[in-house]
Amino acid sequence: MDQPQMSSSVYELGWWIEILTAQPLCLYYFGAFTSHQEVNQLKSGFIEDLLLESATILWVDIRFCQPSHITLTRDALRSHFLLSKKLPHSDLNQALLFDIAA
């Protein structure tokens, strides 16, 4: 599915689909959408696309936010989650270990 084309490093405020994958270890943001209902209607398409690419999905969340990046890779994830305090350290460590072992 297509991502919105933005010229700056801060993306539009709105409803975003946030997907954390273990293979590859990435946090993806898909959006911005104008309503929670629109996100619910389109979310399965983004999940399906990642599964077709053989991604291992750890969790999916819908958030009203303004992400600074639409893709965070392994190197940036630890600081992102520690700053947001969104994911327990043990879950992030498990995902990092899963990525290293692969």
Side-chain angles (χ1 to χ4, degrees):
M1 305 214 102
D2 292 332
Q3 280 288 291
Q5 298 298 315
M6 306 296 275
S7 59
S8 70
S9 62
V10 175
Y11 294 87
E12 186 177 340
L13 178 65
W15 290 99
W16 290 79
I17 303 166
E18 183 181 66
I19 301 176
L20 178 67
T21 62
Q23 289 293 341
L25 185 56
C26 287
L27 178 67
Y28 299 98
Y29 286 94
F30 299 100
F33 302 99
T34 57
S35 71
H36 195 275
Q37 181 180 8
E38 182 183 15
V39 173
N40 277 326
Q41 292 172 346
L42 298 172
K43 160 176 82 168
S44 61
F46 292 102
I47 293 169
E48 184 178 332
D49 285 350
L50 288 170
L51 292 174
L52 288 173
E53 294 176 13
S54 299
T56 302
I57 296 175
L58 296 177
W59 55 272
V60 177
D61 196 11
I62 297 171
R63 300 185 59 207
F64 188 81
C65 64
Q66 186 174 15
S68 58
H69 298 85
I70 56 172
T71 303
L72 291 166
T73 58
R74 182 177 183 270
D75 296 334
L77 280 174
R78 182 177 296 275
S79 61
H80 172 77
F81 284 124
L82 290 176
L83 289 173
S84 70
K85 299 179 181 172
K86 181 164 182 166
L87 186 68
H89 299 291
S90 61
D91 290 347
L92 179 57
N93 288 334
Q94 183 178 12
L96 286 167
L97 290 173
F98 186 76
D99 184 61
I100 292 168

